[in-house]
Amino acid sequence: MKTRRYVFLMVIAIGVFSMAARKAFTAGDLVGTWKYLISDVPPEYESGLLVFEQKDDKTVGYVEAAEKNEMQGLTVDQDKVTFTTENQNGVFKYSFVQKGDTLTGMIGSQYGDFPIKAVRQAKK
């Protein structure tokens, strides 16, 4: 009887740990193209692409809208993603939380903070 209970508890424990490990988010989970929309900005700035790539065991990327801007200081900490870009209009700080194929967060600049949402695009 005690052996059965012990085996049953072990099976439950292994299942719980397996589910927790499966949900762990890594930088590699970002790889791909994400279409973003920024709220409360002029139409010419509201949409574009975030592209994340794996190069030399490191995740890198760029933001593509009117021009292509390299992501600087890209960090992934559990489900949080942060990076900055810079262009002639200033420095832009991106901060996201990932849930599945969606990134939601804020983009900060000298013009204010704006909500941003990105959705992973299907591979072509």
Side-chain angles (χ1 to χ4, degrees), residues 25-27 29-30 34 50 52 59 71 73-84 93-99 102-106:
F25 174 68
T26 65
D29 293 335
L30 281 176
W34 302 68
L50 304 173
F52 297 94
T59 303
M71 294 176 186
L74 175 60
T75 60
V76 178
D77 183 15
Q78 295 183 1
D79 62 348
K80 293 175 180 48
V81 180
T82 59
F83 60 88
T84 61
K93 297 178 181 180
Y94 296 78
S95 178
F96 293 102
V97 173
Q98 183 192 23
K99 288 188 180 172
T102 304
L103 294 168
T104 54
M106 298 294 286

Side-chain angles (χ1 to χ4, degrees), residues 31-44:
V31 172
T33 301
W34 302 68
K35 182 172 181 155
Y36 71 79
L37 288 172
I38 303 172
S39 301
D40 306 323
V41 297
E44 62 268 23

Side-chain angles (χ1 to χ4, degrees), residues 4-121:
R4 254 190 214 171
R5 182 178 291 170
Y6 176 73
V7 170
F8 180 70
L9 289 175
M10 288 299 291
V11 168
I12 290 176
I14 290 170
V16 168
F17 288 120
S18 295
M19 288 188 319
R22 187 176 62 227
K23 291 184 180 184
F25 174 68
T26 65
D29 293 335
L30 281 176
V31 172
T33 301
W34 302 68
K35 182 172 181 155
Y36 71 79
L37 288 172
I38 303 172
S39 301
D40 306 323
V41 297
E44 62 268 23
Y45 301 115
E46 71 183 1
S47 67
L49 300 174
L50 304 173
V51 180
F52 297 94
E53 301 171 330
Q54 198 73 29
K55 289 189 179 178
D56 300 325
D57 294 327
K58 184 177 177 185
T59 303
V60 297
Y62 58 89
V63 177
E64 189 172 334
E67 58 187 57
K68 192 173 178 179
N69 295 297
E70 183 180 339
M71 294 176 186
Q72 302 166 355
L74 175 60
T75 60
V76 178
D77 183 15
Q78 295 183 1
D79 62 348
K80 293 175 180 48
V81 180
T82 59
F83 60 88
T84 61
T85 62
E86 188 173 355
N87 63 30
Q88 72 274 7
N89 295 318
V91 175
F92 299 88
K93 297 178 181 180
Y94 296 78
S95 178
F96 293 102
V97 173
Q98 183 192 23
K99 288 188 180 172
D101 288 338
T102 304
L103 294 168
T104 54
M106 298 294 286
I107 177 172
S109 72
Q110 65 186 7
Y111 308 106
D113 296 334
F114 303 95
I116 182 171
K117 181 177 181 178
V119 177
R120 187 190 312 262
Q121 301 299 288

